[in-house]
Amino acid sequence: MAGFESAPRAPGSAARRRFRRVRARSHRVADRPDRPDPEDQAQPLDPRDERLGPGAVADDRDRRQQQRAADRPGDRGAPERPPLVADPLGAGLRDRDRSRPAGEVVGEADVGPADETGPERQREPDVGRGQPVRGLGDRAPVQVDHGRRQQQQVADRQQQQDDRAGAWPAEDVAQGQAPGEQHPEGDLADGDQRDEHPPTAWRPSGPVPSAGGLKRGPPNGGAGAPAGATEGRTAAPPARGADRSRPARPIRRARRGTPSRAAPPSILAPMLVAIDGPVGAGKSTVARAVAQRLGFTYLDTGAMYRCVALAAIEDEAADHVRDVAVLHIDFEGDRVLLDHSEVTEAIRAPEVSRRSSQVAADPHVREALVDRQRKLTERGDWVAEGRDIGTVVRPDAELKVFLTASDEERAARRAAQTGRGLEQELADLRERDLRDRTREASPLRRAEDAVELDTTGLAFEQVVERIAALVAEVRQAANRERT
Ligand SMILES: Nc1ncnc2c1ncn2[C@@H]1O[C@H](COP(=O)(O)OP(=O)(O)OP(=O)(O)O)[C@@H](O)[C@H]1O
Ligand SMILES: Nc1ccn([C@@H]2O[C@H](COP(=O)(O)O)[C@@H](O)[C@H]2O)c(=O)n1
């Protein structure tokens, strides 16, 4: 469908800025010369270090004395070798000048369990958790380590986490796997950061999430809609989501000692998918299904305008006026509430549809609703749909999709949904589209950086598939940019 003027790109695309910022900060921490390399944070071996068994201390002291004698300047002209240091990760002794052969046994460490050795010691065997720890509950030989083993362990662990979350292959998306859903909490090493990025606003255990707004779904999911696409529209509490501006995990892990040579840890930054488009393009059914697939929260901003329209109609009848600023618009699972009364069905009436595009032209109404929509989508992962998500509400959306379809196809879809005549639907949607496109305040238009998807002739599943693949591409690009 043609004729949609595109809105200018948001300056500098905040999505990119955010990812760049995250990347810059994690590199700053890892690479800053004033911040010691984790290897250098290792403390010289202290004979009083209770983490090492007495055998280790004695062995090492003897060893150092022998070494000093052997290396004494004048004897062979060799400089005194730096002492062995306890690895900061607690797994062995680090030989900084790598002059001792890796694997050489230089002592013994007590790796007894917590109840015998106290919480401090309990942490040590956690290094490389998931791999066998030699002599757990026993004394184990302490070997010279050139750091590669630890690096490998960190890298392996990183890889596992990337596999689970960050790199999110398109095939996984196609199979409906959402990252984070399978995070085995206990899999991370002690002291490692738990998944601090948004546990997405809410992860559905059942069908479609739909925190923000709810639309009456098409019967049986609509033409081609997957079974259950209209079920289980459950409100999600967005407050549980993560702060979209807080790139916590990679930075803290980098400080903790990820070797700077290893790839920086991946992040799964919060994501907002903006879906805009004209009447009947499929925004709500598609957005809801995409959200379900990805474990994101679905926001139907049209439902909010519909509530305002319904309030206006009711106010006219009651001869009083409620200001939009004091209207309570709430979402409770499948239900839409206006001033604490359920209006889920009422806001879908044709009269309300018509009126909604009128109230939506009022800048005062838009300002109030846009403000709420921004607050709602501040945290967590969202699929938000409407007319101005990518242009006004969240021009920083990580992915913007502009859905269209021919007028005739949209009218036919609507007619199948409502049972009204095709001509009537066609006239209604054209009237609404015209108002939405030509109003002064936030007219309907495609954001310059939105992907336009003409769904004419496309099956519902194909549209969902395409958007899910786009999400995967965006995530992968963000991960590539970061590394
Ligand atoms: N690709 C598709 N192929 C066939 N039917 C579709 C497709 N996408 C959506 N539909 C159906 O078209 C109808 C309208 O879709 P939907 O309500 O999602 O549109 P919308 O863009 O949200 O419209 P509005 O802005 O008016 O709320 C629904 O019955 C839906 O099942
Ligand atoms: N972001 C939005 C969403 C909706 N509108 C207006 O509300 C009307 C109803 O929207 P539906 O998506 O539920 O059909 C719509 O015609 C628009 O006028 C809006 O302006 N901005």
Side-chain angles (χ1 to χ4, degrees):
M1 181 174 149
F4 283 100
E5 208 182 313
S6 68
R9 180 187 292 266
S13 170
R16 240 164 285 132
R17 276 201 309 278
R18 183 179 311 117
F19 284 123
R20 221 176 283 135
R21 193 168 60 233
V22 169
R23 190 176 71 155
R25 289 183 66 186
S26 47
H27 283 188
R28 265 206 309 276
V29 173
D31 301 339
R32 263 173 53 170
D34 60 342
R35 214 174 270 287
D37 185 287
E39 289 193 20
D40 296 336
Q41 289 173 353
Q43 297 303 306
L45 185 66
D46 181 348
R48 289 162 304 180
D49 188 340
E50 62 172 27
R51 294 179 304 175
L52 299 169
V57 173
D59 282 358
D60 189 64
R61 199 184 299 128
D62 291 344
R63 182 157 202 84
R64 277 195 228 166
Q65 279 164 3
Q66 286 163 17
Q67 208 65 65
R68 273 195 212 103
D71 292 340
R72 196 167 294 132
D75 288 350
R76 288 207 318 244
E80 183 170 347
R81 297 199 309 181
L84 288 165
V85 293
D87 185 275
L89 298 176
L93 299 174
R94 190 65 63 80
D95 184 7
R96 282 206 194 140
D97 70 350
R98 298 178 192 216
S99 57
R100 298 167 178 89
E104 186 178 331
V105 176
V106 292
E108 262 189 332
D110 188 338
V111 289
D115 55 350
E116 288 174 22
T117 57
E120 275 305 303
R121 287 187 188 180
Q122 188 191 13
R123 273 206 287 277
E124 293 183 21
D126 278 340
V127 173
R129 188 185 280 184
Q131 305 192 11
V133 176
R134 282 167 308 140
L136 187 63
D138 241 322
R139 292 175 64 73
V142 175
Q143 294 173 292
V144 169
D145 192 316
H146 288 172
R148 289 201 189 94
R149 187 164 60 89
Q150 282 85 353
Q151 286 176 20
Q152 191 57 52
Q153 286 169 349
V154 171
D156 286 350
R157 206 163 60 228
Q158 182 57 54
Q159 186 60 52
Q160 286 165 9
Q161 287 169 10
D162 280 357
D163 290 347
R164 281 200 305 268
W168 189 16
E171 312 85 74
D172 287 352
V173 173
Q175 289 160 19
Q177 252 177 271
E181 281 182 339
Q182 296 171 11
H183 276 206
E185 286 273 304
D187 204 15
L188 302 175
D190 184 67
D192 207 334
Q193 304 309 308
R194 295 275 176 225
D195 203 341
E196 287 180 24
H197 80 82
T200 65
W202 173 74
R203 295 208 181 275
S205 53
V208 191
S210 108
L214 309 167
K215 279 191 172 179
R216 181 176 52 198
N220 301 320
T230 63
E231 299 163 7
R233 291 171 288 170
T234 313
R240 285 196 57 226
D243 183 341
R244 296 169 67 82
S245 65
R246 191 167 65 106
R249 185 165 70 152
I251 289 170
R252 289 179 59 184
R253 186 183 288 131
R255 279 196 187 128
R256 185 175 171 265
T258 303
S260 52
R261 276 160 293 198
S266 75
I267 47 160
L268 194 55
M271 188 167 188
L272 187 128
V273 179
I275 301 183
D276 291 308
V279 173
K283 298 181 300 297
S284 58
T285 33
V286 166
R288 191 184 295 119
V290 169
Q292 176 182 28
R293 176 117 149 200
L294 305 182
F296 288 18
T297 308
Y298 163 57
L299 173 62
D300 173 2
T301 58
M304 300 170 84
Y305 288 94
R306 286 173 180 273
C307 281
V308 176
L310 181 61
I313 294 167
E314 287 173 353
D315 287 356
E316 275 164 15
D319 204 21
H320 70 89
V321 177
R322 280 172 285 181
D323 189 327
V324 64
V326 301
L327 284 181
H328 285 273
I329 300 172
D330 297 311
F331 301 100
E332 262 184 26
D334 276 356
R335 305 179 327 134
V336 184
L337 304 181
L338 172 60
D339 283 346
H340 313 292
S341 300
E342 179 166 4
V343 294
T344 314
E345 291 299 318
I347 60 169
R348 303 295 159 187
E351 188 195 356
V352 177
S353 298
R354 230 179 347 265
R355 190 62 181 262
S356 64
S357 67
Q358 291 168 0
V359 300
D362 180 342
H364 177 57
V365 170
R366 299 206 74 82
E367 198 184 321
L369 295 190
V370 165
D371 188 52
R372 293 187 203 183
Q373 291 154 11
R374 285 192 183 133
K375 286 196 174 103
L376 260 178
T377 57
E378 219 168 43
R379 292 157 181 264
D381 298 314
W382 291 86
V383 182
E385 57 97 354
R387 303 290 190 289
D388 58 346
I389 310 298
T391 51
V392 175
V393 179
R394 297 300 304 259
D396 61 339
E398 280 76 14
L399 174 64
K400 301 178 191 177
V401 177
F402 195 77
L403 277 192
T404 64
S406 70
D407 292 1
E408 291 71 21
E409 175 142 350
R410 292 188 289 129
R413 290 175 186 172
R414 249 299 120 73
Q417 188 181 24
T418 61
R420 294 167 77 218
L422 187 67
E423 289 306 314
Q424 181 68 63
E425 289 295 349
L426 191 57
D428 277 5
L429 75 78
R430 281 183 171 155
E431 182 196 326
R432 223 157 31 110
D433 276 355
L434 184 66
R435 232 189 329 259
D436 289 346
R437 266 187 265 164
T438 55
R439 69 185 174 219
E440 287 267 310
S442 312
L444 166 66
R445 59 179 64 176
R446 178 175 69 80
E448 203 180 74
D449 51 349
V451 176
E452 182 162 346
L453 200 51
D454 185 344
T455 67
T456 312
L458 283 186
F460 167 83
E461 292 88 345
Q462 289 176 298
V463 181
V464 173
E465 205 65 53
R466 178 79 186 111
I467 295 176
L470 285 170
V471 169
E473 278 173 31
V474 167
R475 282 239 149 114
Q476 282 168 354
N479 276 341
R480 264 198 306 278
E481 192 183 335
R482 193 182 40 73
T483 53

